Amino acid sequence: MSSSISTSSESRKQPYLDLESLSRSWRAGTKPAPQVNVVEWAEAFRKLSKESSNGGKFITARVEVARGPMLAATEPGVRKLTLMACTQLLKTTVIENILGRFIHVDPCPILAVLPKDDAAETFSKDRLAPMIRDTKVLRELFGAAKATDAAATLTHKQFPGGHITLVGSNSPTNLAMRPIRLLVCDEIDKYPLSAGGEGPPIDLAEERQAEFITNSLTVLACSPTIAGRSAIEASYEESDQRRAFVQCPHCEGWHSLEWEQVRFEKDEAGKIRLETAHYHCAGCGTAWTESQRLVALRRIEWRQTRAFTCCGEHQVPERWAPEAHGVRRAVCRDCGSLAVPNEHAGFIGSKLYAPKQSIRETVAKYARAMRRGPEALRAFYNTQLARTWKEGVDAPEWQDVYARRDRAYLSGTIPLGALILFAGVDVQKDRLEVGIWAFGRNRERWLIEHRVLPGETNRPEVWKSLEAMFDETWEHAGGAEMGVRDWGIDSSGFTAEVYAFVRRQAGRGNVHAVDGQDSVQSAFLGVGAKDTTPAGKKLRRGLKTLRIGASFCKQELMGCLALQRPAQGEAFPAGFIHLPEDVSEDQVKQLTAEELVTHVTRGRTRRQWVPIGGRRNEVLDCANYARGVAAMRGRDRWRETQWRDLEHALGIARVRTVPEPDEPPPATVAPGSLAARNLHRATIRRSKVRSRTR
């Protein structure tokens, strides 16, 4: 009896007495992670599932364009990785290999975020489970963990040294449940703007990386969608904007593959002839054969292309450092230093880099999309070209508008061509924003100043600041001081405060409450009476609001902002918008913050102005209010005499942007001719009229 007890006790103590086993476990736990990048791991251990088109050993060279993004996962300094890619090229493969590498050689807590919970379960069953099943090293890890982890589920799996959790982006609880080091977010354009009202899903998930601040990694992946509202597009623009360069087989120059270089011919009926579709080099213009394209895709260089400022000069990358970790870093052309940080590595890839889809097949998909209409064309741009689809064709790019700013004047000054000032005021909870705009001939406009008056709008201090602006003047280039003719204050948000303020300014006669309406009829829609008697009758001398056609003003403004600056010495086109040299990028972004989008609801088509994701629009609103009050004063109907009266009041002569042609000399009349006799009769009639008038 006692002997059996003694034997049992010794057997229970045996594991703890095995010092050699304990030592091996200690050494394994303290051993640093092997220096294996994702490409090396995938080619050494990854086995593609039988469900894939290339089952068996993973070979990176089959899709060479995927090498750069995989190397970036272990590139020193990289903390975030963005993949804006077309469908069925590299996105999912890169994500799977990154997950496999970290689970095997550098285990840590991992969170994978999908658009919804059912998408997370589908990824687990269709992607993660086959990879674990067919990759031996992962199968051994998860097989050993499964025996000891009774809580393992479809969306939560443990492995030695860490765990992987798959969640939907619509659940704030799951996003903020555990501290994580590796965050993988797929299909981010399908995420809700806010997870349960607690904020953007990606922001919530990234907060869980605080404990791994020194070695965390975030991977964002998706095909792009609508321009200005695509989360993956915004993330790529924030990155170092890497592009894949290939070498031309003819001129040996290096260029990225762009859709604009794909050319084809059409027949007499306008149908694309697929046999004429070829890719043409951006440098020498020579057409490539399909075999030459495939050879070029065997060697790809990823290069940083984001613009930067160095040595006091704004530069677009023209020189790059030697390749390291799968990327060539941009360097300054003057000092030669690395100019673009690599903390956020961004990649973009289209089907032009796909070895399994020829140029002819891509053009065939384009032709089919053209026949099917805008929705099919949008899908082609998103899924084949990895480009966003711009619905609001009336909204110009803010970068183009910013590049056309006027070098001839600064904020707070008025150029010669500007003859009258109108102002728009946008009312926010904690501030007033004031836009001063000048108007001149030929429908031209100038932004004179945009000022922010901070202060709670339910308190009098901020309104006193606005009232003080009513007495301010701005210096005209001709030397005169100009005041604002009319002020339009938005009354749609803080109606009571605006109405009370406008009533107090009634003696001025130029301070108005404005009400923006969704109308494309005109800039000024009329006056609306707001004060009534107890019986409901409108008071003739009560408060009135100016009804502004906001949609008309926006559409007109966007069209004018798209106008190109003329050549030196030529006249500006009608409606040109002048912006001061020191206008900020943020002000231009706000000025172009909305786009016109077409919606089809219940078979009815409606066009609506919607904000472009993440941009404020106060500068745009102020411009619309100023335009509306200018229309109220009849600016659109003014004749030349009224513009001359404004110049006379400013003490300046008419400003001509270009010399006008000389007037032709008066025609001579031959004596005794019919024209001479008619002229003589007309002179006699005019003299008789003058006599009767006297």
Side-chain angles (χ1 to χ4, degrees):
M1 188 75 170
S2 61
S3 175
S4 63
I5 295 175
S6 175
T7 304
S8 177
S9 299
E10 289 179 2
S11 64
R12 288 197 301 268
K13 293 179 181 179
Q14 185 64 29
Y16 300 95
L17 297 176
D18 189 354
L19 297 181
E20 183 179 352
S21 176
L22 181 63
S23 177
R24 285 198 303 269
S25 300
W26 175 264
R27 288 195 301 270
T30 58
K31 183 179 180 180
Q35 298 299 316
V36 178
N37 60 46
V38 177
V39 173
E40 294 170 342
W41 179 89
E43 294 186 336
F45 301 104
R46 177 78 192 275
K47 293 295 185 295
L48 294 174
S49 305
K50 58 184 179 181
E51 294 88 349
S52 67
S53 58
N54 294 315
K57 183 178 177 62
F58 181 86
I59 301 175
T60 308
R62 287 176 177 171
V63 187
E64 183 63 28
V65 71
R67 186 183 300 273
M70 288 194 290
L71 292 175
T74 54
E75 179 184 335
V78 173
R79 295 281 305 282
K80 181 179 287 190
L81 196 156
T82 294
L83 297 175
M84 185 168 72
C86 63
T87 57
Q88 303 298 314
L89 179 65
L90 59 88
K91 180 168 61 68
T92 305
T93 299
V94 170
I95 290 176
E96 292 172 349
N97 289 340
I98 290 175
L99 290 175
R101 185 264 178 192
F102 276 87
I103 291 172
H104 180 206
V105 304
D106 194 4
C108 61
I110 302 173
L111 178 65
V113 183
L114 283 300
K116 294 183 179 180
D117 292 336
D118 57 352
E121 296 179 358
T122 300
F123 183 87
S124 178
K125 291 186 291 186
D126 296 348
R127 295 292 186 178
L128 185 60
M131 182 176 69
I132 295 173
R133 179 196 66 202
D134 298 324
T135 304
K136 181 180 178 181
V137 292
L138 298 181
R139 185 171 66 248
E140 292 175 349
L141 287 175
F142 282 93
K146 186 176 181 180
T148 59
D149 182 18
T153 64
L154 190 64
T155 58
H156 177 73
K157 302 178 185 297
Q158 291 190 347
F159 50 85
H163 59 79
I164 180 170
T165 304
L166 298 95
V167 302
S169 62
N170 54 348
S171 174
T173 303
N174 292 335
L175 292 172
M177 185 177 295
R178 301 175 177 88
I180 55 170
R181 176 184 163 200
L182 174 60
L183 172 63
V184 176
C185 300
D186 195 13
E187 300 295 342
I188 66 173
D189 274 18
K190 298 178 182 178
Y191 290 5
L193 296 179
S194 179
E198 297 187 16
I202 297 176
D203 293 350
L204 294 177
E206 287 182 328
E207 286 297 320
R208 311 313 301 166
Q209 296 179 298
E211 296 186 13
F212 300 93
I213 191 66
T214 58
N215 61 351
S216 64
L217 176 66
T218 299
V219 180
L220 308 178
C222 192
S223 297
T225 52
I226 304 299
R229 286 178 281 166
S230 174
I232 195 69
E233 177 197 37
S235 182
Y236 179 76
E237 289 181 350
E238 294 171 356
S239 71
D240 58 5
Q241 299 177 13
R242 303 182 185 187
R243 287 185 175 271
F245 283 63
V246 298
Q247 190 174 28
C248 174
H250 302 283
C251 67
E252 299 185 351
W254 288 84
H255 308 280
S256 60
L257 301 183
E258 304 294 342
W259 172 246
E260 288 75 13
Q261 298 306 123
V262 176
R263 299 170 188 170
F264 44 79
E265 298 177 2
K266 297 182 180 181
D267 58 20
E268 296 179 355
K271 185 178 179 180
I272 295 175
R273 296 172 53 199
L274 297 180
E275 67 275 9
T276 64
H278 292 91
Y279 186 86
H280 291 248
C281 173
C284 64
T286 307
W288 296 3
T289 64
E290 184 60 23
S291 60
Q292 288 174 333
R293 185 184 73 96
L294 294 177
V295 171
L297 292 180
R298 295 177 183 174
R299 184 185 175 193
I300 290 179
E301 289 187 356
W302 285 96
R303 301 182 181 182
Q304 293 177 324
T305 63
R306 181 174 180 174
F308 60 90
T309 301
C310 189
C311 298
E313 183 181 2
H314 187 73
Q315 304 180 34
V316 176
E318 299 175 353
R319 296 175 54 197
W320 291 269
E323 185 177 19
H325 303 284
V327 63
R328 296 189 65 181
R329 303 277 300 276
V331 298
C332 174
R333 59 171 172 257
D334 296 326
C335 65
S337 61
L338 296 177
V340 179
N342 70 332
E343 182 177 356
H344 186 173
F347 299 84
I348 183 172
S350 70
K351 279 293 178 68
L352 299 179
Y353 294 93
K356 288 188 176 182
Q357 180 169 304
S358 66
I359 293 296
R360 184 176 299 182
E361 291 170 335
T362 303
V363 173
K365 292 183 177 181
Y366 172 72
R368 185 165 55 250
M370 290 289 289
R371 291 193 302 268
R372 293 181 177 180
E375 286 300 317
L377 194 60
R378 166 186 164 180
F380 175 82
Y381 270 73
N382 294 163
T383 63
Q384 303 296 311
L385 304 183
R387 291 186 178 182
T388 54
W389 175 254
K390 191 171 183 59
E391 284 188 335
V393 295
D394 299 295
E397 296 292 342
W398 74 266
Q399 296 93 335
D400 296 337
V401 177
Y402 183 73
R404 294 196 296 270
R405 62 191 186 277
D406 203 323
R407 309 288 182 177
Y409 79 107
L410 299 174
S411 297
T413 62
I414 306 174
L416 282 175
L419 301 178
I420 190 169
L421 301 181
F422 293 98
V425 183
D426 188 68
V427 183
Q428 300 292 325
K429 180 180 179 181
D430 58 349
R431 67 191 183 280
L432 300 176
E433 300 211 13
V434 185
I436 310 295
W437 286 84
F439 294 77
R441 289 184 179 84
N442 203 28
R443 298 191 295 112
E444 291 183 51
R445 273 184 274 178
W446 291 260
L447 173 60
I448 303 304
E449 182 179 356
H450 187 85
R451 190 183 304 182
V452 179
L453 305 178
E456 298 292 332
T457 49
N458 59 357
R459 301 186 63 83
E461 289 79 8
V462 69
W463 296 104
K464 291 181 180 178
S465 300
L466 177 61
E467 187 175 3
M469 287 190 67
F470 295 164
D471 298 322
E472 289 188 30
T473 58
W474 288 261
E475 185 178 0
H476 192 273
E481 294 291 328
M482 292 179 62
V484 173
R485 176 62 182 87
D486 285 280
W487 301 77
I489 307 175
D490 175 31
S491 63
S492 58
F494 298 84
T495 306
E497 289 84 353
V498 174
Y499 284 180
F501 178 76
V502 172
R503 285 191 176 95
R504 292 196 301 271
Q505 308 301 320
R508 294 181 179 270
N510 67 342
V511 180
H512 315 278
V514 299
D515 182 16
Q517 299 185 1
D518 185 14
S519 173
V520 294
Q521 294 181 3
S522 64
F524 175 61
L525 301 174
V527 177
K530 294 300 178 181
D531 290 341
T532 60
T533 64
K537 184 178 180 181
K538 295 180 180 180
L539 291 174
R540 181 182 176 186
R541 298 184 180 277
L543 178 70
K544 295 178 176 59
T545 60
L546 307 182
R547 294 186 288 114
I548 305 300
S551 295
F552 177 93
C553 294
K554 291 175 183 177
Q555 192 155 348
E556 179 190 57
L557 179 67
M558 297 306 171
C560 293
L561 287 172
L563 296 174
Q564 298 297 318
R565 179 174 289 276
Q568 185 70 26
E570 295 183 2
F572 285 98
F576 191 83
I577 306 293
H578 300 265
L579 301 177
E581 181 180 5
D582 56 347
V583 66
S584 67
E585 291 186 1
D586 181 64
Q587 290 175 351
V588 179
K589 288 180 180 179
Q590 290 192 44
L591 195 61
T592 57
E594 296 186 16
E595 60 183 355
L596 191 59
V597 176
T598 302
H599 296 287
V600 179
T601 305
R602 297 179 181 179
R604 300 184 63 182
T605 301
R606 181 186 178 190
R607 305 187 77 192
Q608 182 181 11
W609 287 95
V610 298
I612 298 175
R615 293 196 203 172
R616 291 163 43 202
N617 60 354
E618 289 85 355
V619 176
L620 173 61
D621 288 341
C622 291
N624 293 333
Y625 303 147
R627 172 68 178 93
V629 294
M632 180 270 299
R633 288 297 178 190
R635 171 257 189 182
D636 299 333
R637 304 185 304 273
W638 286 350
R639 298 178 180 273
E640 175 61 24
T641 55
Q642 290 167 294
W643 292 113
R644 289 180 180 174
D645 290 342
L646 292 174
E647 289 173 334
H648 180 73
L650 294 172
I652 60 175
R654 178 177 178 181
V655 179
R656 291 184 171 89
T657 56
V658 292
E660 295 184 352
D662 296 333
E663 294 184 0
T668 58
V669 179
S673 64
L674 178 62
R677 292 196 296 271
N678 290 337
L679 181 61
H680 178 67
R681 295 191 187 99
T683 304
I684 295 174
R685 283 197 297 268
R686 283 197 295 269
S687 63
K688 291 180 178 179
V689 170
R690 294 193 191 98
S691 300
R692 287 197 296 268
T693 304
R694 286 194 294 270

PDB file of all heavy atoms in Angstrom, residues 17 39 82 89 224 231 258 303 412 460 475 539 644 655 659:
ATOM      1  N   LEU A  17      11.185  17.369 -11.629  1.00  0.00           N
ATOM      2  CA  LEU A  17      12.572  17.041 -11.332  1.00  0.00           C
ATOM      3  C   LEU A  17      13.413  16.940 -12.592  1.00  0.00           C
ATOM      4  O   LEU A  17      14.621  16.762 -12.523  1.00  0.00           O
ATOM      5  CB  LEU A  17      12.645  15.708 -10.560  1.00  0.00           C
ATOM      6  CG  LEU A  17      11.953  15.714  -9.190  1.00  0.00           C
ATOM      7  CD1 LEU A  17      12.013  14.325  -8.572  1.00  0.00           C
ATOM      8  CD2 LEU A  17      12.607  16.732  -8.262  1.00  0.00           C
ATOM      9  N   VAL A  39       8.473  36.519 -47.139  1.00  0.00           N
ATOM     10  CA  VAL A  39       8.756  35.801 -48.376  1.00  0.00           C
ATOM     11  C   VAL A  39       9.524  34.520 -48.085  1.00  0.00           C
ATOM     12  O   VAL A  39       9.195  33.433 -48.609  1.00  0.00           O
ATOM     13  CB  VAL A  39       9.538  36.700 -49.358  1.00  0.00           C
ATOM     14  CG1 VAL A  39       9.991  35.908 -50.577  1.00  0.00           C
ATOM     15  CG2 VAL A  39       8.678  37.882 -49.793  1.00  0.00           C
ATOM     16  N   THR A  82      -0.446  49.413 -46.067  1.00  0.00           N
ATOM     17  CA  THR A  82      -1.704  49.601 -46.791  1.00  0.00           C
ATOM     18  C   THR A  82      -1.610  48.940 -48.160  1.00  0.00           C
ATOM     19  O   THR A  82      -0.664  49.196 -48.905  1.00  0.00           O
ATOM     20  CB  THR A  82      -2.025  51.093 -46.952  1.00  0.00           C
ATOM     21  OG1 THR A  82      -2.277  51.668 -45.667  1.00  0.00           O
ATOM     22  CG2 THR A  82      -3.254  51.286 -47.821  1.00  0.00           C
ATOM     23  N   LEU A  89      -5.422  39.306 -57.043  1.00  0.00           N
ATOM     24  CA  LEU A  89      -4.039  39.541 -57.453  1.00  0.00           C
ATOM     25  C   LEU A  89      -3.064  39.213 -56.333  1.00  0.00           C
ATOM     26  O   LEU A  89      -2.276  38.287 -56.440  1.00  0.00           O
ATOM     27  CB  LEU A  89      -3.850  40.980 -57.930  1.00  0.00           C
ATOM     28  CG  LEU A  89      -2.427  41.346 -58.352  1.00  0.00           C
ATOM     29  CD1 LEU A  89      -2.017  40.538 -59.587  1.00  0.00           C
ATOM     30  CD2 LEU A  89      -2.305  42.838 -58.660  1.00  0.00           C
ATOM     31  N   PRO A 224     -10.407  49.699 -53.867  1.00  0.00           N
ATOM     32  CA  PRO A 224     -11.007  51.023 -53.655  1.00  0.00           C
ATOM     33  C   PRO A 224     -12.441  51.073 -54.147  1.00  0.00           C
ATOM     34  O   PRO A 224     -12.886  50.221 -54.925  1.00  0.00           O
ATOM     35  CB  PRO A 224     -10.097  51.954 -54.456  1.00  0.00           C
ATOM     36  CG  PRO A 224      -9.539  51.080 -55.534  1.00  0.00           C
ATOM     37  CD  PRO A 224      -9.383  49.715 -54.930  1.00  0.00           C
ATOM     38  N   ALA A 231     -11.981  54.485 -47.783  1.00  0.00           N
ATOM     39  CA  ALA A 231     -11.048  54.461 -46.654  1.00  0.00           C
ATOM     40  C   ALA A 231      -9.669  53.989 -47.086  1.00  0.00           C
ATOM     41  O   ALA A 231      -8.654  54.486 -46.593  1.00  0.00           O
ATOM     42  CB  ALA A 231     -11.600  53.561 -45.548  1.00  0.00           C
ATOM     43  N   GLU A 258       0.379  51.928 -66.199  1.00  0.00           N
ATOM     44  CA  GLU A 258      -0.814  52.746 -66.046  1.00  0.00           C
ATOM     45  C   GLU A 258      -1.807  52.438 -67.162  1.00  0.00           C
ATOM     46  O   GLU A 258      -1.417  52.142 -68.300  1.00  0.00           O
ATOM     47  CB  GLU A 258      -0.461  54.240 -66.064  1.00  0.00           C
ATOM     48  CG  GLU A 258       0.557  54.667 -65.023  1.00  0.00           C
ATOM     49  CD  GLU A 258       0.049  54.531 -63.590  1.00  0.00           C
ATOM     50  OE1 GLU A 258      -1.178  54.428 -63.421  1.00  0.00           O
ATOM     51  OE2 GLU A 258       0.878  54.525 -62.662  1.00  0.00           O
ATOM     52  N   ARG A 303       8.995  51.546 -55.580  1.00  0.00           N
ATOM     53  CA  ARG A 303       9.650  52.819 -55.284  1.00  0.00           C
ATOM     54  C   ARG A 303       8.664  53.767 -54.593  1.00  0.00           C
ATOM     55  O   ARG A 303       7.472  53.784 -54.924  1.00  0.00           O
ATOM     56  CB  ARG A 303      10.160  53.482 -56.570  1.00  0.00           C
ATOM     57  CG  ARG A 303      11.147  52.641 -57.350  1.00  0.00           C
ATOM     58  CD  ARG A 303      11.636  53.381 -58.584  1.00  0.00           C
ATOM     59  NE  ARG A 303      12.581  52.589 -59.370  1.00  0.00           N
ATOM     60  CZ  ARG A 303      13.190  53.021 -60.469  1.00  0.00           C
ATOM     61  NH1 ARG A 303      12.939  54.265 -60.910  1.00  0.00           N
ATOM     62  NH2 ARG A 303      14.029  52.246 -61.123  1.00  0.00           N
ATOM     63  N   GLY A 412      -6.419  89.560 -47.420  1.00  0.00           N
ATOM     64  CA  GLY A 412      -6.602  90.860 -46.788  1.00  0.00           C
ATOM     65  C   GLY A 412      -6.413  92.032 -47.724  1.00  0.00           C
ATOM     66  O   GLY A 412      -6.620  93.175 -47.314  1.00  0.00           O
ATOM     67  N   PRO A 460     -22.842  86.123 -25.985  1.00  0.00           N
ATOM     68  CA  PRO A 460     -22.759  87.350 -26.799  1.00  0.00           C
ATOM     69  C   PRO A 460     -21.365  87.691 -27.302  1.00  0.00           C
ATOM     70  O   PRO A 460     -21.236  88.492 -28.228  1.00  0.00           O
ATOM     71  CB  PRO A 460     -23.272  88.434 -25.838  1.00  0.00           C
ATOM     72  CG  PRO A 460     -22.969  87.905 -24.469  1.00  0.00           C
ATOM     73  CD  PRO A 460     -23.142  86.420 -24.562  1.00  0.00           C
ATOM     74  N   GLU A 475      -8.076  97.263 -47.917  1.00  0.00           N
ATOM     75  CA  GLU A 475      -7.410  98.177 -48.841  1.00  0.00           C
ATOM     76  C   GLU A 475      -7.459  97.645 -50.266  1.00  0.00           C
ATOM     77  O   GLU A 475      -7.063  96.506 -50.538  1.00  0.00           O
ATOM     78  CB  GLU A 475      -5.960  98.396 -48.424  1.00  0.00           C
ATOM     79  CG  GLU A 475      -5.242  99.435 -49.288  1.00  0.00           C
ATOM     80  CD  GLU A 475      -3.815  99.690 -48.845  1.00  0.00           C
ATOM     81  OE1 GLU A 475      -3.393  99.053 -47.854  1.00  0.00           O
ATOM     82  OE2 GLU A 475      -3.136 100.502 -49.499  1.00  0.00           O
ATOM     83  N   LEU A 539     -45.973  89.897 -40.938  1.00  0.00           N
ATOM     84  CA  LEU A 539     -45.734  91.325 -40.751  1.00  0.00           C
ATOM     85  C   LEU A 539     -44.931  91.872 -41.922  1.00  0.00           C
ATOM     86  O   LEU A 539     -43.895  91.309 -42.310  1.00  0.00           O
ATOM     87  CB  LEU A 539     -44.980  91.567 -39.448  1.00  0.00           C
ATOM     88  CG  LEU A 539     -45.757  91.287 -38.153  1.00  0.00           C
ATOM     89  CD1 LEU A 539     -44.845  91.437 -36.949  1.00  0.00           C
ATOM     90  CD2 LEU A 539     -46.946  92.234 -38.045  1.00  0.00           C
ATOM     91  N   ARG A 644     -18.830 100.829 -63.968  1.00  0.00           N
ATOM     92  CA  ARG A 644     -18.063 102.078 -64.039  1.00  0.00           C
ATOM     93  C   ARG A 644     -18.344 102.967 -62.841  1.00  0.00           C
ATOM     94  O   ARG A 644     -17.447 103.668 -62.357  1.00  0.00           O
ATOM     95  CB  ARG A 644     -18.396 102.812 -65.338  1.00  0.00           C
ATOM     96  CG  ARG A 644     -17.830 102.144 -66.584  1.00  0.00           C
ATOM     97  CD  ARG A 644     -18.195 102.903 -67.842  1.00  0.00           C
ATOM     98  NE  ARG A 644     -17.652 102.248 -69.036  1.00  0.00           N
ATOM     99  CZ  ARG A 644     -17.904 102.634 -70.268  1.00  0.00           C
ATOM    100  NH1 ARG A 644     -18.701 103.697 -70.474  1.00  0.00           N
ATOM    101  NH2 ARG A 644     -17.380 101.993 -71.298  1.00  0.00           N
ATOM    102  N   VAL A 655     -10.091  98.672 -65.406  1.00  0.00           N
ATOM    103  CA  VAL A 655      -8.954  97.773 -65.523  1.00  0.00           C
ATOM    104  C   VAL A 655      -9.237  96.782 -66.644  1.00  0.00           C
ATOM    105  O   VAL A 655     -10.237  96.072 -66.626  1.00  0.00           O
ATOM    106  CB  VAL A 655      -8.717  97.016 -64.198  1.00  0.00           C
ATOM    107  CG1 VAL A 655      -7.542  96.066 -64.341  1.00  0.00           C
ATOM    108  CG2 VAL A 655      -8.475  98.001 -63.070  1.00  0.00           C
ATOM    109  N   PRO A 659      -5.327  94.203 -73.818  1.00  0.00           N
ATOM    110  CA  PRO A 659      -5.659  95.384 -74.627  1.00  0.00           C
ATOM    111  C   PRO A 659      -6.795  95.082 -75.584  1.00  0.00           C
ATOM    112  O   PRO A 659      -6.854  94.017 -76.195  1.00  0.00           O
ATOM    113  CB  PRO A 659      -4.355  95.664 -75.385  1.00  0.00           C
ATOM    114  CG  PRO A 659      -3.610  94.364 -75.362  1.00  0.00           C
ATOM    115  CD  PRO A 659      -3.976  93.700 -74.078  1.00  0.00           C
TER     116      PRO A 659
END
